[in-house]
């Protein structure tokens, strides 16, 4: 009795892009080209460049060991969103030559080989079309064709720089897969169990009776058995191309002034907003990508408290251009010049990509107007448009022992950085308990705290006061001294003792002066400072 009916294999063409996480990081300017570099995931090497491999760095190596082998190694963290975003243009280019693409994961995609082979006159020619598509974008690809997606993927991974295509004849997938280790099945627990049973290769596994495999290993085992036999039950399911909501503007020659660029982008911004609204959506989070003639790219994601209009989109481009500092002190131009905006060369391309959208029904105008909330939003947005992105900020509570560390100011419209709430919820031993001071000074204010002999109050080696405070002088001016009515402390504050540049050794002190004002003070090695005031 057969456990399932095997259908006639449908041959698959799999295109593999080696080390895609690394390629995507370089495309996004997260890693420099032509230097030893790697992408790190969970503390180990997920992908590395050929320059790094020449120094002995390999996948699965721990970061510390990799840096020991290659001290000049440049690394960045794994980012699945970046991998998928940079892979989208590659898939679109591939779909232009070979429609019906299924994205298995970023860096790996499959199509039905039959249709492409008929169109191009053979499977080798279809594989060549896929390679040409990748080459047009400047990325390296490998192609494998076999009777199943799994076998085609292994064929693609078995290619080399000199031979980028491997076509397995019909019916040969099982023999081709036989020498591969069981680890390629992608099921670590099953592979570990098979190895303990003495089954080391896919050929050994495929030779087992299917009924015995199901009885011993269950549904997951029978699926892996089909893969090892070259009879992958998975079919190629072409994706539905996503709706084209992003917009791009290109300039030839490039524009070297912010005001010129903002003027030229107005029509593109109108098209972007109109295109999103045509789909019944509004954009609430936008990614702006700016490329200059030198190939450098500026990328930033912008949020909005409501939704983006065309004017908001243009403002974000202008703010993004003006936010970085100049690359060199000698880069001086007239007002509005790109060097002043921190760009090394004129801008040739600007792209708008909607990161987060929402139904337009959630953002309609109320029947009797939007009231005070809409007026506040309009006023703040107007000020921000005139004065810049950082001109209007809202507070958020972060983590830290000093009050200035706990206060985080976020530009109006931007989301609070991920992890801020979790950072604020940590214990932070040594922080000031509630109630918190109402006024926290942007920077510490020098003050004086004097004893009865009008000498600075000091602490001894055990952290206690040498003499009690008698006089308090706001601003550090002895002529403005006030009597100390009440006081408490000191409480030692020690942090980052291992960091010579950022360590802090201070003592906290609370007092109420003769005018009834309550203060939070800090005593460092020599001076007194006012950190906040209780209003």
């Amino acid at each position: 009795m057969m456990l399932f009916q095997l259908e006639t294999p449908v041959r698959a063409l799999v295109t593999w892009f080696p080390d895609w996480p690394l390629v995507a990081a370089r495309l996004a300017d997260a890693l420099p080209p032509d230097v030893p570099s790697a992408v790190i995931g969970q503390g180990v090497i997920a992908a590395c460049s050929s320059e790094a491999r020449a120094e002995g760095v390999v996948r699965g190596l721990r970061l510390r060991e990799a840096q020991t082998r290659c001290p000049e190694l440049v690394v960045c963290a794994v980012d699945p969103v970046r991998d998928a975003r940079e892979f989208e243009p590659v898939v679109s280019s591939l779909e232009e030559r070979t429609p019906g693409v299924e994205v298995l994961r970023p860096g790996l995609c499959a199509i039905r080989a039959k249709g492409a082979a008929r169109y191009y006159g053979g499977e080798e020619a279809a594989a060549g079309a896929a390679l040409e598509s990748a080459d047009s974008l400047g990325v390296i690809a490998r192609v494998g064709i076999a009777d199943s997606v799994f076998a085609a993927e292994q064929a693609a991974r078995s290619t080399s720089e000199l031979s980028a295509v491997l076509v397995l004849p019909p019916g040969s997938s099982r023999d081709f897969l036989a020498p591969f280790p069981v680890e390629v099945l992608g099921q670590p627990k099953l592979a570990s169990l098979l190895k303990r049973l003495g089954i080391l290769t896919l050929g050994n596994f495929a030779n087992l009776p299917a009924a015995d495999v199901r009885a011993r290993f269950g549904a997951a085992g029978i699926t892996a058995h089909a893969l090892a036999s070259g009879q992958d039950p998975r079919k190629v399911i072409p994706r539905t191309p996503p709706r084209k909501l992003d917009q791009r503007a290109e300039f030839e020659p490039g524009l070297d002034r912010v005001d010129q660029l903002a003027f030229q982008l107005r029509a593109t911004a109108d098209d972007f907003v109109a295109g999103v609204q045509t789909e019944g959506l509004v954009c609430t989070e936008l990614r702006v990508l700016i490329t200059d003639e030198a190939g450098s790219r500026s990328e930033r994601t912008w949020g909005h408290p409501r939704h983006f209009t065309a004017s908001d989109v243009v403002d974000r481009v202008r703010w993004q251009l003006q936010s970085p500092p100049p690359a060199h002190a000698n880069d001086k131009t007239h007002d509005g010049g790109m060097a002043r905006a921190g760009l090394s060369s004129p801008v040739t391309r600007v792209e708008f990509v909607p990161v987060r959208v929402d139904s337009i029904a959630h953002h309609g105008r109320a029947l009797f107007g939007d009231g005070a909330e809409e007026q506040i939003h309009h006023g703040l947005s107007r000020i921000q448009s005139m004065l810049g992105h950082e001109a209007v900020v809202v507070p958020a509570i972060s983590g830290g022992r000093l009050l200035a560390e706990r206060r985080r100011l976020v530009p109006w419209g931007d989301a609070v950085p991920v992890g801020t709430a979790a950072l604020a919820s940590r214990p932070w031993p040594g922080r000031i308990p509630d109630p918190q001071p109402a006024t926290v000074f942007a920077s510490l204010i020098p003050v004086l705290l004097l004893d009865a002999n009008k000498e600075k109050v000091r602490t001894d080696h055990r952290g206690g006061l040498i003499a009690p405070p008698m006089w308090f002088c706001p601003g550090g001016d002895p002529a403005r001294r006030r009597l100390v009515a009440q006081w408490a402390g000191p409480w030692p504050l020690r942090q980052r003792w291992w960091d010579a540049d950022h360590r802090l050794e201070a003592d906290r002190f609370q007092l109420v002066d003769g005018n009834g004002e309550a203060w939070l003070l800090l005593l460092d090695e020599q001076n007194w400072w006012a950190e906040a005031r209780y209003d």
Side-chain angles (χ1 to χ4, degrees):
M1 177 179 175
M2 294 198 63
L3 298 174
F4 53 85
Q5 184 66 35
L6 293 177
E7 300 179 356
T8 302
V10 177
R11 290 177 66 76
L13 185 154
V14 169
T15 307
W16 172 54
F17 299 85
D19 299 320
W20 180 254
L22 177 80
V23 175
R26 284 181 167 177
L27 290 175
D29 292 334
L31 287 176
D34 303 326
V35 299
S37 52
V39 177
I40 307 300
Q42 298 182 347
V44 300
I45 304 295
C48 59
S49 64
S50 57
E51 297 85 0
R53 283 192 290 269
E55 299 293 332
V57 180
V58 295
R59 287 186 59 189
L61 198 66
R62 296 192 65 83
L63 176 59
R64 182 172 296 180
E65 176 63 24
Q67 292 175 329
T68 301
R69 298 183 183 185
C70 182
E72 63 273 15
L73 185 68
V74 181
V75 301
C76 73
V78 168
D79 187 351
V81 175
R82 178 184 62 211
D83 296 347
R85 181 178 69 246
E86 298 298 337
F87 195 53
E88 182 61 32
V90 178
V91 178
S92 299
S93 176
L94 191 60
E95 285 176 328
E96 293 178 359
R97 290 176 169 83
T98 54
V101 176
E102 178 188 3
V103 179
L104 304 176
R105 60 179 177 272
L108 188 70
C109 53
I111 65 171
R112 296 189 183 102
K114 185 176 180 180
R118 283 183 176 179
Y119 182 81
Y120 288 102
E123 292 180 340
E124 290 81 1
L131 293 178
E132 290 177 2
S133 173
D135 187 64
S136 66
L137 297 177
V139 295
I140 298 174
R142 305 278 190 268
V143 177
I145 301 177
D147 292 335
S148 67
V149 174
F150 177 73
E153 177 184 347
Q154 303 310 316
R157 293 179 179 273
S158 300
T159 56
S160 63
E161 294 183 5
L162 299 179
S163 179
V165 177
L166 178 57
V167 179
L168 302 181
S172 65
S173 296
R174 176 167 178 162
D175 294 336
F176 170 76
L177 293 172
F180 283 79
V182 292
E183 284 84 358
V184 300
L185 292 170
Q187 299 186 32
K189 292 183 179 180
L190 177 62
S192 177
L193 178 56
L194 291 175
K195 291 176 68 176
R196 291 199 300 270
L197 295 174
I199 303 172
L200 304 180
T201 66
L202 297 186
N204 300 146
F205 189 39
N207 290 333
L208 297 178
D212 294 343
V213 172
R214 176 179 288 276
R216 179 64 178 83
F217 304 107
I222 200 64
T223 301
H225 186 264
L227 296 180
S229 303
Q231 298 171 338
D232 187 353
R234 175 178 49 179
K235 297 181 180 179
V236 176
I237 302 176
R239 73 166 189 165
T240 300
R243 292 172 293 183
K244 191 70 173 178
L245 297 180
D246 53 325
Q247 290 286 337
R248 172 186 298 184
E250 298 190 358
F251 308 101
E252 182 60 40
L255 300 180
D256 59 355
R257 293 179 60 88
V258 177
D259 52 354
Q260 291 177 341
L261 189 62
F263 178 78
Q264 294 289 338
L265 284 174
R266 180 67 194 209
T268 306
D270 286 333
D271 293 341
F272 170 76
V273 173
V276 173
Q277 292 179 348
T278 300
E279 299 292 339
L281 304 170
V282 292
C283 179
T284 59
E285 192 170 341
L286 170 71
R287 179 178 294 110
V288 178
L289 301 98
I290 304 174
T291 307
D292 61 16
E293 287 183 346
S296 300
R297 185 164 70 168
S298 170
E299 177 180 338
R300 182 166 177 177
T301 299
W302 299 89
H304 198 281
R306 293 175 64 87
H307 61 85
F308 283 97
T309 64
S311 297
D312 295 329
V313 173
V314 175
D315 282 341
R316 268 57 178 184
V317 175
R318 179 163 52 84
W319 295 342
Q320 185 166 327
L321 290 170
Q322 293 174 340
S323 58
H328 303 285
N330 295 329
D331 292 342
K332 298 179 180 180
T333 63
H334 300 289
D335 289 346
M338 289 300 181
R340 180 177 179 179
L343 298 181
S344 59
S345 60
V347 172
T348 58
R349 184 170 67 247
V350 177
E351 301 172 67
F352 303 134
V353 181
V355 176
R356 183 174 299 151
V357 295
D358 192 13
S359 173
I360 197 172
H362 299 158
H363 297 265
R365 297 182 63 85
L367 181 61
F368 299 102
D370 294 314
E373 181 181 351
E374 175 63 23
Q375 295 177 11
I376 293 173
H377 164 71
H378 177 76
L380 294 179
S381 298
R382 180 61 178 166
I383 294 173
Q384 197 176 43
S385 177
M386 292 187 299
L387 301 182
H389 184 236
E390 306 287 342
V392 181
V393 294
V394 294
I397 298 178
S398 183
R401 294 179 176 86
L402 295 177
L403 296 178
E405 295 175 341
R406 299 192 63 197
R407 178 189 61 186
R408 185 160 194 169
L409 300 178
V410 182
W412 168 257
D414 283 8
V416 177
V418 177
T420 300
L423 195 64
S425 64
R426 294 179 181 176
W428 294 109
R431 73 176 183 178
I432 293 297
D434 294 333
Q436 299 292 318
T439 301
V440 178
F441 303 123
S443 57
L444 299 178
I445 298 176
V447 296
L448 283 177
L449 192 62
L450 307 177
D451 58 18
N453 296 323
K454 297 183 181 180
E455 298 289 337
K456 284 185 180 181
V457 174
R458 298 293 185 195
T459 58
D460 56 26
H461 65 282
R462 301 185 65 179
L465 292 181
I466 297 176
M470 178 68 69
W471 303 99
F472 172 65
C473 306
D477 184 3
R480 298 173 54 196
R481 67 177 182 269
R482 307 173 184 177
L483 281 172
V484 175
Q486 297 177 344
W487 58 274
W491 301 285
L493 183 61
R494 308 288 186 265
Q495 66 180 19
R496 299 188 184 94
W497 54 266
W498 63 89
D499 189 342
D501 296 327
H502 301 93
R503 67 184 177 192
L504 175 64
E505 296 184 7
D507 294 280
R508 271 198 166 118
F509 199 86
Q510 290 175 325
L511 66 82
V512 178
D513 63 25
N515 293 350
E517 293 183 342
W519 300 80
L520 179 64
L521 307 182
L522 278 176
L523 171 64
D524 61 12
E525 295 180 356
Q526 296 185 7
N527 301 308
W528 284 93
W529 307 88
E531 184 182 4
R533 184 175 62 236
Y534 293 87
D535 296 334

